[in-house]
Amino acid sequence: MKFGFWLPIFGGWLRNVEDENMPATFDYAKKVIQQAEKLGYDTTLIAELFLNDIKGPEEDSLDAWSTAAALAAVTEKIEIMAAIRPGFHNPAIAAKAAANIDHISNGRFTLNVVSAWWEEEARQYGGIFTEHDERYERTKEFIDVLKGLWSEDSFSYDGKYYQLKDTKLFPKPVQRPNPILYAGGESPKGKEVISSYCDAYVMHGGTVEEVSEKIADMKQRRVQTNNPPFQSFGMAAYIVCRDSEEEVQEELARITNVKESSAYAGFKDFTSKSQLEQQIQLQDYSVSNRGLRPNLVGTPEKIAEKIKEYEAAGVDLLLLQFSPQLEEMERFAKQVMPLVNR
C-alpha cells in the first residue's frame, strides 16, 4: 500500500469547522510536504479549484500548478500529483508546463485529469462548462494533445475542440512515455474515457464492497481497450485516529455537525452536474471527497485492519485527509503505517 495525502490548499477539509489551524499559505503547504517526505508518504494530490470549495468561495485558497512547481523545487522524493481541468487550460501550454515541472522534480510530477463539476466556478473564471458527456469528449482530445506533444518531435492535430499544426515541444518530460495520468469518474462516459486514455484510476471514498466492484469493472473495461493494466487504483479517505472509541465518536460528532454556511456553495453543482454512483447526503459532504465513507476511523489497530481490507480489494494508493494536517499526519505515520506494512 502506498500512502498519499491531499495537500491542504483550502485551509482544511472540514466544512463545519471554521479554523482547523491549517492556513491556506505556501509556507504551510511547504512545511506539510517536507514533513510528509520525512514520515514516508509517497504522494501528494493538489486539487485544482479557483474558488474555495471547502471553506467558502470568499476564503483563501492556493493555485494548484504554481504551488506544484514551487514544491517540486523544495522536495526530493515525493510524487506531486496536480489536478488539471481541460475546460480551464490550453492543452499545448499545459503540456509544456507539465514537462517543465517534471524536469524541476526530476520525474516526480503527475496529473489528475478532472472533467469538472462546478458550473458557478466556470462562470466566474471563464472556464468552458458544457453538458456532462461533452466535457469528457473534450477531455479525450485534451489528452490526445498532451500525449502527442510529449512523444512526437512535431505534432499536428485536427479535432473538434483543438487544432495544432507542426507544434514542437522540447524538452520532453523526464517520464516516458508520459507523466502518469490519473483520473476519477463514476458515469459510463467517464469510465469509458478513463479506461481508454488514462494510466491510473482514483476514487472518492467508498465502502470495501463499492470500491471492489469499481475496481473489477474498470479492470474489465481496461482489458477491452487493449491498453496495459492500470498502474494504480487510488481512493480518498479521511482519517480519525484516536486511542479510544469514545474519543473517536467525540471527534466524529464535532466534524459532522452540519450547519448552514457558504462552505456548501458547491454542493448542488457537485450532486447535480456529476453522475454519481452513490447518492450522497449533506452530512457526507461535510468532509470533502466522501472521506468518511471508507470508515477509516478508530484506534490505530482498527484502521490498519480496515486498510488491509481495501488492499485485498485492489486499492494500492490511499489519498488521505487529516485535520489538523501536521499533527494527524504524523500520528498516522507513526501509529498506523507500521501496522499495515508489517
Side-chain angles (χ1 to χ4, degrees), residues 161-247:
Y161 306 103
Y162 307 111
Q163 297 81 37
L164 290 84
K165 185 171 176 59
D166 301 329
T167 304
K168 297 167 180 61
L169 188 152
F170 296 99
K172 304 298 186 190
V174 174
Q175 299 171 77
R176 296 299 178 93
N178 57 264
I180 298 171
L181 299 179
Y182 294 83
E186 300 183 353
S187 67
K189 187 66 175 181
K191 289 180 176 181
E192 171 203 321
V193 172
I194 294 165
S195 59
S196 298
Y197 287 81
C198 297
D199 307 307
Y201 185 58
V202 289
M203 300 165 280
H204 287 300
T207 66
V208 173
E209 294 74 18
E210 290 166 353
V211 168
S212 180
E213 290 177 8
K214 288 180 184 179
I215 291 174
D217 177 51
M218 291 302 286
K219 283 183 175 179
Q220 182 58 38
R221 289 173 183 267
R222 188 70 167 183
V223 168
Q224 295 171 359
T225 67
N226 294 317
N227 285 318
F230 278 119
Q231 295 184 35
S232 182
F233 287 97
M235 183 187 72
Y238 183 87
I239 300 295
V240 178
C241 182
R242 297 291 187 272
D243 293 330
S244 70
E245 188 62 31
E246 182 180 9
E247 291 174 290

XYZ file of all heavy atoms in Angstrom, residues 161-247:
691
model
N -12.278 20.236 -30.799
C -12.008 21.262 -29.804
C -10.628 21.893 -29.939
O -10.434 23.047 -29.551
C -12.165 20.683 -28.397
C -13.502 20.030 -28.174
C -13.645 18.642 -28.182
C -14.647 20.806 -27.982
C -14.883 18.042 -27.988
C -15.891 20.214 -27.784
C -15.997 18.834 -27.803
O -17.227 18.242 -27.624
N -9.658 21.136 -30.458
C -8.281 21.622 -30.516
C -7.683 21.352 -31.891
O -7.916 20.290 -32.478
C -7.424 20.949 -29.448
C -8.005 21.060 -28.052
C -8.506 19.938 -27.392
C -8.065 22.293 -27.403
C -9.052 20.042 -26.120
C -8.611 22.401 -26.128
C -9.107 21.274 -25.499
O -9.643 21.383 -24.260
N -6.913 22.325 -32.368
C -6.210 22.177 -33.637
C -4.772 22.678 -33.462
O -4.554 23.776 -32.936
C -6.899 22.982 -34.753
C -8.324 22.543 -35.077
C -9.355 23.109 -34.112
O -9.239 24.261 -33.674
N -10.359 22.302 -33.765
N -3.826 21.865 -33.879
C -2.413 22.248 -33.850
C -1.768 21.822 -35.167
O -2.186 20.832 -35.774
C -1.664 21.565 -32.698
C -1.964 21.993 -31.259
C -3.186 21.268 -30.721
C -0.759 21.732 -30.370
N -0.755 22.529 -35.595
C -0.023 22.173 -36.815
C 1.469 22.321 -36.578
O 1.957 23.400 -36.238
C -0.463 23.042 -37.985
C 0.181 22.630 -39.320
C -0.433 23.369 -40.474
C 0.263 23.027 -41.792
N 0.197 21.558 -42.082
N 2.159 21.198 -36.741
C 3.622 21.158 -36.636
C 4.120 21.803 -35.337
O 5.078 22.585 -35.327
C 4.267 21.848 -37.838
C 3.864 21.215 -39.162
O 3.621 19.988 -39.175
O 3.783 21.944 -40.175
N 3.460 21.468 -34.249
C 3.825 22.039 -32.950
C 4.961 21.238 -32.328
O 4.930 20.015 -32.300
C 2.615 22.050 -32.005
O 1.545 22.753 -32.631
C 2.957 22.731 -30.693
N 5.957 21.943 -31.808
C 7.143 21.299 -31.241
C 7.230 21.604 -29.751
O 6.984 22.745 -29.332
C 8.390 21.767 -31.977
C 8.376 21.371 -33.451
C 9.427 22.088 -34.242
C 9.368 21.653 -35.706
N 8.062 21.964 -36.349
N 7.565 20.597 -28.971
C 7.699 20.765 -27.526
C 8.990 20.089 -27.072
O 9.127 18.870 -27.152
C 6.492 20.167 -26.791
C 6.411 20.433 -25.281
C 4.960 20.424 -24.820
C 7.207 19.423 -24.463
N 9.923 20.910 -26.585
C 11.187 20.409 -26.040
C 11.553 21.268 -24.825
O 11.299 22.479 -24.832
C 12.302 20.483 -27.096
C 12.074 19.603 -28.290
C 11.551 20.134 -29.461
C 12.353 18.249 -28.224
C 11.329 19.328 -30.556
C 12.136 17.440 -29.317
C 11.618 17.972 -30.501
N 12.110 20.657 -23.790
C 12.410 19.226 -23.684
C 11.162 18.404 -23.385
O 10.173 18.936 -22.851
C 13.381 19.169 -22.495
C 12.963 20.329 -21.639
C 12.537 21.413 -22.594
N 11.220 17.144 -23.747
C 10.147 16.225 -23.388
C 10.189 15.976 -21.875
O 11.202 16.234 -21.217
C 10.310 14.898 -24.136
C 10.370 15.016 -25.650
C 9.100 15.596 -26.228
C 9.122 15.576 -27.756
N 7.990 16.347 -28.333
N 9.099 15.464 -21.305
C 9.128 15.145 -19.872
C 10.207 14.116 -19.542
O 10.637 13.342 -20.410
C 7.731 14.561 -19.615
C 6.887 15.052 -20.740
C 7.793 15.172 -21.920
N 10.626 14.093 -18.301
C 11.569 13.067 -17.830
C 10.928 11.692 -17.936
O 11.566 10.731 -18.385
C 11.984 13.359 -16.370
C 12.846 12.225 -15.820
C 12.715 14.692 -16.283
N 9.666 11.584 -17.532
C 8.961 10.300 -17.544
C 8.564 9.940 -18.979
O 8.033 10.766 -19.707
C 7.707 10.372 -16.664
C 7.993 10.672 -15.205
C 6.722 10.945 -14.433
O 5.993 10.021 -14.085
N 6.449 12.209 -14.148
N 8.793 8.699 -19.330
C 8.417 8.231 -20.659
C 7.508 7.011 -20.542
O 7.728 6.172 -19.676
C 9.689 7.861 -21.458
C 10.606 9.054 -21.727
C 9.900 10.136 -22.545
N 10.743 11.301 -22.785
C 11.505 11.455 -23.871
N 11.530 10.496 -24.784
N 12.221 12.535 -24.019
N 6.490 6.882 -21.402
C 6.194 7.799 -22.499
C 5.551 9.106 -22.049
O 5.507 10.062 -22.803
C 5.234 6.989 -23.368
C 4.528 6.095 -22.392
C 5.568 5.721 -21.382
N 5.048 9.149 -20.810
C 4.413 10.382 -20.327
C 4.294 10.344 -18.808
O 4.299 9.258 -18.203
C 3.019 10.553 -20.947
C 2.088 9.380 -20.691
O 1.973 8.490 -21.532
N 1.412 9.369 -19.558
N 4.184 11.511 -18.177
C 3.828 11.522 -16.753
C 2.515 10.767 -16.545
O 1.618 10.820 -17.388
C 3.664 13.017 -16.454
C 4.521 13.703 -17.471
C 4.405 12.868 -18.712
N 2.417 10.072 -15.437
C 1.218 9.269 -15.181
C -0.020 10.162 -15.188
O -0.040 11.223 -14.572
C 1.338 8.553 -13.824
C 2.516 7.587 -13.826
C 0.049 7.781 -13.495
C 2.833 7.004 -12.463
N -1.055 9.703 -15.890
C -2.333 10.410 -15.928
C -3.338 9.646 -15.072
O -3.779 8.553 -15.440
C -2.847 10.520 -17.368
C -1.954 11.293 -18.342
C -2.577 11.301 -19.737
C -1.707 12.725 -17.860
N -3.664 10.208 -13.919
C -4.706 9.672 -13.050
C -6.036 10.317 -13.446
O -6.074 11.428 -13.969
C -4.435 10.018 -11.589
C -3.217 9.399 -10.963
C -1.952 9.966 -11.134
C -3.322 8.273 -10.146
C -0.828 9.422 -10.533
C -2.195 7.722 -9.531
C -0.958 8.297 -9.730
O 0.150 7.763 -9.127
N -7.135 9.645 -13.154
C -8.455 10.255 -13.337
C -9.476 9.471 -12.533
O -9.307 8.273 -12.271
C -8.859 10.291 -14.812
N -10.540 10.162 -12.161
C -11.645 9.517 -11.468
C -12.957 9.889 -12.122
O -13.117 10.997 -12.638
N -13.898 8.969 -12.129
C -15.213 9.237 -12.690
C -16.119 8.049 -12.464
O -15.650 6.907 -12.420
N -17.408 8.308 -12.314
C -18.350 7.236 -11.998
C -19.414 7.044 -13.068
O -20.146 6.055 -13.039
C -19.010 7.524 -10.647
C -18.007 7.606 -9.509
C -18.669 7.830 -8.159
O -19.891 8.046 -8.117
O -17.952 7.784 -7.137
N -19.516 7.979 -14.011
C -20.510 7.852 -15.071
C -20.026 6.869 -16.132
O -18.823 6.617 -16.261
C -20.749 9.210 -15.733
O -19.584 9.617 -16.439
N -20.927 6.296 -16.912
C -20.497 5.419 -18.008
C -19.520 6.112 -18.953
O -18.521 5.518 -19.371
C -21.819 5.071 -18.706
C -22.851 5.170 -17.628
C -22.407 6.311 -16.762
N -19.791 7.376 -19.295
C -18.896 8.108 -20.196
C -17.543 8.331 -19.553
O -16.494 8.177 -20.198
C -19.522 9.453 -20.571
C -18.752 10.216 -21.647
C -18.794 9.477 -22.967
C -18.135 10.269 -24.070
N -18.184 9.556 -25.368
N -17.552 8.696 -18.279
C -16.297 8.903 -17.584
C -15.449 7.647 -17.552
O -14.246 7.674 -17.823
N -16.057 6.532 -17.242
C -15.320 5.272 -17.183
C -14.787 4.875 -18.557
O -13.677 4.337 -18.676
C -16.221 4.176 -16.622
C -16.519 4.320 -15.138
C -17.415 3.198 -14.651
C -17.641 3.264 -13.155
N -18.487 2.162 -12.677
N -15.570 5.144 -19.577
C -15.127 4.830 -20.942
C -13.861 5.610 -21.294
O -12.880 5.055 -21.806
C -16.246 5.179 -21.932
C -15.835 5.097 -23.403
C -16.723 5.952 -24.291
O -17.951 6.000 -24.054
O -16.184 6.593 -25.214
N -13.875 6.905 -21.002
C -12.733 7.755 -21.337
C -11.514 7.387 -20.493
O -10.395 7.270 -20.999
C -13.103 9.243 -21.149
C -11.869 10.129 -21.302
C -14.182 9.644 -22.153
N -11.713 7.196 -19.201
C -10.592 6.895 -18.309
C -9.942 5.566 -18.682
O -8.710 5.456 -18.745
C -11.064 6.881 -16.843
C -11.504 8.284 -16.427
C -9.957 6.373 -15.913
C -12.306 8.325 -15.147
N -10.748 4.549 -18.945
C -10.178 3.231 -19.266
C -9.415 3.257 -20.581
O -8.475 2.492 -20.768
C -11.281 2.173 -19.309
O -12.259 2.498 -20.273
N -9.782 4.155 -21.476
C -9.135 4.209 -22.788
C -7.929 5.149 -22.826
O -6.987 4.910 -23.597
C -10.139 4.665 -23.853
O -11.210 3.753 -23.973
N -7.939 6.214 -22.014
C -6.960 7.283 -22.189
C -6.019 7.504 -21.009
O -4.987 8.155 -21.180
C -7.693 8.599 -22.481
C -8.280 8.671 -23.873
C -9.493 8.059 -24.165
C -7.608 9.336 -24.894
C -10.020 8.112 -25.442
C -8.133 9.396 -26.175
C -9.345 8.780 -26.445
O -9.868 8.819 -27.719
N -6.356 7.015 -19.833
C -5.563 7.338 -18.642
C -4.772 6.126 -18.150
O -4.932 5.014 -18.644
C -6.462 7.899 -17.545
S -7.247 9.463 -18.036
N -3.914 6.370 -17.161
C -2.992 5.341 -16.689
C -3.355 4.774 -15.325
O -2.870 3.708 -14.948
C -1.570 5.926 -16.600
C -1.132 6.575 -17.894
O -1.209 5.909 -18.943
O -0.719 7.748 -17.857
N -4.161 5.491 -14.562
C -4.496 5.066 -13.208
C -5.872 5.610 -12.849
O -6.296 6.641 -13.376
C -3.448 5.561 -12.208
N -6.564 4.924 -11.943
C -7.943 5.266 -11.591
C -8.007 5.638 -10.117
O -7.499 4.914 -9.253
C -8.850 4.070 -11.864
C -10.328 4.326 -11.667
C -10.990 5.323 -12.364
C -11.078 3.537 -10.786
C -12.347 5.547 -12.199
C -12.444 3.750 -10.626
C -13.077 4.755 -11.332
O -14.421 4.969 -11.167
N -8.614 6.794 -9.836
C -8.766 7.233 -8.453
C -10.249 7.394 -8.131
O -11.046 7.757 -9.000
C -8.006 8.548 -8.176
C -6.508 8.307 -8.177
C -8.358 9.625 -9.195
N -10.599 7.116 -6.897
C -11.996 7.064 -6.475
C -12.233 7.936 -5.253
O -11.358 8.085 -4.406
C -12.380 5.614 -6.129
C -12.237 4.641 -7.282
S -12.284 2.896 -6.747
C -10.593 2.669 -6.153
N -13.451 8.477 -5.159
C -13.885 9.060 -3.902
C -13.983 7.938 -2.860
O -13.976 6.752 -3.200
C -15.267 9.710 -4.050
C -15.248 10.988 -4.827
N -14.513 12.082 -4.444
C -15.898 11.352 -5.963
C -14.699 13.073 -5.300
N -15.528 12.654 -6.234
N -14.108 8.327 -1.608
C -14.242 7.329 -0.566
C -15.469 6.461 -0.766
O -16.536 6.940 -1.145
N -15.337 5.164 -0.518
C -16.446 4.229 -0.630
C -16.232 3.057 0.297
O -15.157 2.891 0.886
N -17.250 2.240 0.458
C -17.097 1.030 1.265
C -16.213 0.034 0.520
O -15.964 0.172 -0.681
C -18.457 0.390 1.538
O -19.005 -0.073 0.284
C -19.420 1.381 2.185
N -15.752 -0.983 1.225
C -14.931 -2.012 0.590
C -15.684 -2.636 -0.574
O -15.119 -2.872 -1.655
C -14.514 -3.091 1.614
C -13.801 -4.247 0.919
C -13.617 -2.488 2.694
N -16.970 -2.902 -0.367
C -17.773 -3.544 -1.414
C -17.912 -2.632 -2.628
O -17.760 -3.086 -3.779
C -19.154 -3.907 -0.870
C -19.149 -4.984 0.209
C -18.647 -4.490 1.566
O -18.625 -3.246 1.783
O -18.266 -5.339 2.397
N -18.199 -1.348 -2.408
C -18.336 -0.396 -3.517
C -17.044 -0.281 -4.306
O -17.044 -0.317 -5.547
C -18.740 0.972 -2.971
C -20.159 1.039 -2.434
C -20.426 2.284 -1.611
O -19.473 3.052 -1.345
O -21.593 2.493 -1.215
N -15.946 -0.158 -3.592
C -14.655 0.025 -4.244
C -14.240 -1.237 -4.995
O -13.713 -1.172 -6.113
C -13.598 0.438 -3.203
C -12.200 0.345 -3.772
C -13.885 1.848 -2.688
N -14.496 -2.387 -4.395
C -14.156 -3.654 -5.051
C -14.884 -3.803 -6.378
O -14.303 -4.223 -7.386
C -14.503 -4.822 -4.122
O -14.190 -6.055 -4.732
N -16.164 -3.425 -6.393
C -16.946 -3.501 -7.635
C -16.414 -2.536 -8.684
O -16.332 -2.877 -9.878
C -18.417 -3.199 -7.336
C -19.126 -4.290 -6.551
C -20.561 -3.914 -6.214
O -21.038 -2.868 -6.728
O -21.210 -4.651 -5.447
N -16.037 -1.334 -8.272
C -15.498 -0.355 -9.217
C -14.190 -0.843 -9.832
O -13.957 -0.706 -11.043
C -15.271 0.984 -8.512
C -16.534 1.742 -8.176
C -16.199 3.054 -7.494
C -17.454 3.797 -7.068
N -17.150 5.062 -6.371
N -13.327 -1.385 -9.006
C -12.036 -1.857 -9.498
C -12.227 -3.013 -10.478
O -11.599 -3.041 -11.555
C -11.128 -2.263 -8.322
C -10.710 -1.020 -7.536
C -9.899 -3.031 -8.813
C -9.940 -1.310 -6.276
N -13.095 -3.962 -10.142
C -13.352 -5.083 -11.048
C -13.902 -4.594 -12.380
O -13.502 -5.069 -13.458
C -14.318 -6.067 -10.390
N -14.827 -3.636 -12.312
C -15.425 -3.072 -13.529
C -14.374 -2.372 -14.382
O -14.314 -2.559 -15.608
C -16.536 -2.102 -13.140
C -17.157 -1.414 -14.340
O -17.537 -2.123 -15.295
O -17.272 -0.180 -14.326
N -13.516 -1.557 -13.741
C -12.516 -0.822 -14.506
C -11.433 -1.739 -15.075
O -10.912 -1.495 -16.167
C -11.898 0.269 -13.636
C -12.861 1.400 -13.308
S -13.545 2.225 -14.779
C -12.122 3.173 -15.338
N -11.101 -2.789 -14.372
C -10.140 -3.756 -14.916
C -10.695 -4.413 -16.175
O -9.977 -4.589 -17.167
C -9.813 -4.814 -13.862
C -8.846 -4.349 -12.779
C -8.520 -5.484 -11.821
C -7.465 -5.069 -10.803
N -7.157 -6.170 -9.843
N -11.983 -4.754 -16.132
C -12.608 -5.374 -17.296
C -12.681 -4.388 -18.462
O -12.398 -4.751 -19.616
C -14.010 -5.863 -16.937
C -14.737 -6.568 -18.079
C -13.977 -7.777 -18.598
O -13.371 -8.521 -17.833
N -13.994 -7.970 -19.911
N -13.046 -3.157 -18.182
C -13.080 -2.141 -19.237
C -11.692 -1.938 -19.835
O -11.538 -1.747 -21.051
C -13.597 -0.814 -18.670
C -15.083 -0.814 -18.322
C -15.465 0.489 -17.618
N -16.850 0.506 -17.205
C -17.853 0.998 -17.935
N -17.603 1.521 -19.136
N -19.089 0.985 -17.483
N -10.698 -1.981 -18.990
C -9.319 -1.773 -19.449
C -8.884 -2.881 -20.403
O -8.227 -2.612 -21.427
C -8.395 -1.724 -18.233
C -6.962 -1.330 -18.554
C -6.851 0.113 -18.955
N -5.468 0.560 -18.976
C -5.101 1.802 -19.239
N -6.008 2.725 -19.498
N -3.828 2.147 -19.245
N -9.228 -4.101 -20.084
C -8.873 -5.231 -20.947
C -9.448 -5.026 -22.343
O -8.787 -5.316 -23.360
C -9.381 -6.558 -20.334
C -9.290 -7.695 -21.350
C -8.589 -6.898 -19.077
N -10.650 -4.520 -22.414
C -11.321 -4.333 -23.701
C -10.680 -3.245 -24.562
O -10.930 -3.180 -25.769
C -12.799 -4.017 -23.465
C -13.566 -5.162 -22.817
C -14.967 -4.767 -22.387
O -15.375 -3.619 -22.553
N -15.699 -5.718 -21.827
N -9.852 -2.385 -23.968
C -9.203 -1.319 -24.730
C -7.854 -1.751 -25.306
O -7.253 -0.997 -26.079
C -8.953 -0.090 -23.844
O -7.967 -0.407 -22.837
C -10.233 0.374 -23.173
N -7.361 -2.907 -24.891
C -6.041 -3.397 -25.302
C -4.890 -2.540 -24.773
O -3.757 -2.634 -25.257
C -5.942 -3.505 -26.835
C -6.883 -4.559 -27.394
O -6.999 -5.652 -26.835
N -7.555 -4.244 -28.493
N -5.180 -1.706 -23.785
C -4.127 -0.962 -23.098
C -3.491 -1.854 -22.043
O -4.095 -2.832 -21.593
C -4.700 0.281 -22.411
C -5.021 1.389 -23.385
O -4.255 1.649 -24.304
N -6.153 2.052 -23.193
N -2.266 -1.533 -21.605
C -1.701 -2.257 -20.465
C -2.543 -2.031 -19.223
O -3.323 -1.067 -19.156
C -0.296 -1.664 -20.321
C -0.368 -0.335 -20.991
C -1.358 -0.486 -22.110
N -2.438 -2.883 -18.213
C -3.245 -2.720 -16.994
C -3.023 -1.345 -16.348
O -1.977 -0.722 -16.531
C -2.734 -3.840 -16.081
C -2.162 -4.855 -17.007
C -1.578 -4.077 -18.153
N -4.027 -0.885 -15.610
C -3.871 0.353 -14.859
C -2.668 0.243 -13.931
O -2.423 -0.796 -13.318
C -5.116 0.644 -14.023
C -6.240 1.294 -14.780
C -7.469 0.668 -14.899
C -6.070 2.540 -15.368
C -8.510 1.267 -15.589
C -7.107 3.150 -16.061
C -8.326 2.516 -16.179
N -1.946 1.340 -13.797
C -0.773 1.347 -12.934
C -1.138 1.429 -11.453
O -0.337 1.045 -10.596
C 0.138 2.518 -13.302
C 0.731 2.416 -14.696
C 1.703 3.537 -14.992
O 2.435 4.005 -14.123
N 1.719 3.985 -16.237
N -2.334 1.957 -11.157
C -2.696 2.137 -9.752
C -4.198 2.317 -9.614
O -4.875 2.792 -10.539
C -1.976 3.371 -9.190
O -2.256 3.559 -7.821
N -4.730 1.924 -8.442
C -6.101 2.224 -8.043
C -6.030 2.958 -6.707
O -5.624 2.385 -5.699
C -6.931 0.944 -7.898
C -7.284 0.296 -9.206
C -6.526 -0.750 -9.700
C -8.366 0.746 -9.960
C -6.832 -1.356 -10.912
C -8.688 0.154 -11.173
C -7.918 -0.903 -11.655
N -6.410 4.218 -6.728
C -6.336 5.032 -5.523
C -7.712 5.355 -4.969
O -8.717 5.328 -5.687
N -7.776 5.692 -3.686
C -9.035 6.051 -3.041
C -8.803 7.147 -2.013
O -7.822 7.128 -1.269
C -9.660 4.833 -2.342
C -11.022 5.138 -1.707
S -11.664 3.768 -0.699
C -10.560 3.852 0.723
N -9.729 8.099 -1.962
C -9.694 9.156 -0.961
C -10.283 8.660 0.356
O -11.218 7.852 0.363
C -10.483 10.370 -1.448
N -9.755 9.151 1.452
C -10.300 8.791 2.769
C -9.855 9.822 3.800
O -8.743 10.351 3.729
C -9.834 7.407 3.193
N -10.750 10.084 4.745
C -10.444 10.981 5.857
C -10.158 10.131 7.092
O -10.892 9.185 7.389
C -11.623 11.918 6.121
C -11.356 12.931 7.212
C -10.751 14.145 6.917
C -11.701 12.662 8.538
C -10.498 15.078 7.918
C -11.446 13.584 9.539
C -10.847 14.786 9.219
O -10.585 15.700 10.209
N -9.104 10.468 7.806
C -8.655 9.673 8.941
C -9.074 10.304 10.269
O -8.851 11.496 10.497
C -7.119 9.509 8.930
C -6.652 8.806 7.661
C -6.648 8.757 10.170
C -7.115 7.379 7.513
N -9.688 9.492 11.117
C -9.903 9.873 12.522
C -9.266 8.776 13.362
O -9.824 7.684 13.526
C -11.394 10.009 12.875
C -11.549 10.349 14.363
C -12.058 11.079 12.016
N -8.085 9.049 13.861
C -7.335 8.059 14.646
C -7.226 8.546 16.090
O -6.699 9.636 16.353
C -5.943 7.872 14.038
S -4.934 6.631 14.878
N -7.740 7.732 17.016
C -7.694 8.080 18.432
C -7.402 6.818 19.246
O -7.515 5.693 18.751
C -9.024 8.694 18.895
C -9.383 10.016 18.216
C -8.452 11.135 18.644
N -8.881 12.436 18.122
C -8.520 12.927 16.939
N -7.747 12.192 16.135
N -8.923 14.127 16.549
N -7.066 7.019 20.506
C -6.682 5.885 21.348
C -7.875 5.090 21.862
O -7.727 3.936 22.263
C -5.856 6.386 22.545
C -4.515 6.953 22.114
O -3.977 6.484 21.087
O -4.018 7.874 22.786
N -9.064 5.709 21.858
C -10.245 5.009 22.365
C -11.445 5.288 21.467
O -11.501 6.295 20.763
C -10.569 5.464 23.790
O -11.051 6.801 23.795
N -12.428 4.384 21.518
C -13.642 4.553 20.723
C -14.429 5.782 21.175
O -15.055 6.468 20.355
C -14.512 3.292 20.831
C -15.703 3.273 19.895
C -15.293 3.313 18.436
O -14.210 2.792 18.096
O -16.070 3.871 17.630
N -14.388 6.090 22.449
C -15.090 7.276 22.955
C -14.529 8.548 22.331
O -15.283 9.442 21.901
C -14.958 7.348 24.482
C -15.710 8.522 25.096
C -15.555 8.572 26.599
O -14.736 7.805 27.146
O -16.252 9.395 27.229
N -13.200 8.638 22.223
C -12.577 9.804 21.609
C -12.925 9.887 20.126
O -13.123 10.985 19.581
C -11.061 9.741 21.788
C -10.576 9.917 23.209
C -9.081 9.701 23.313
O -8.625 8.548 23.173
O -8.363 10.698 23.513
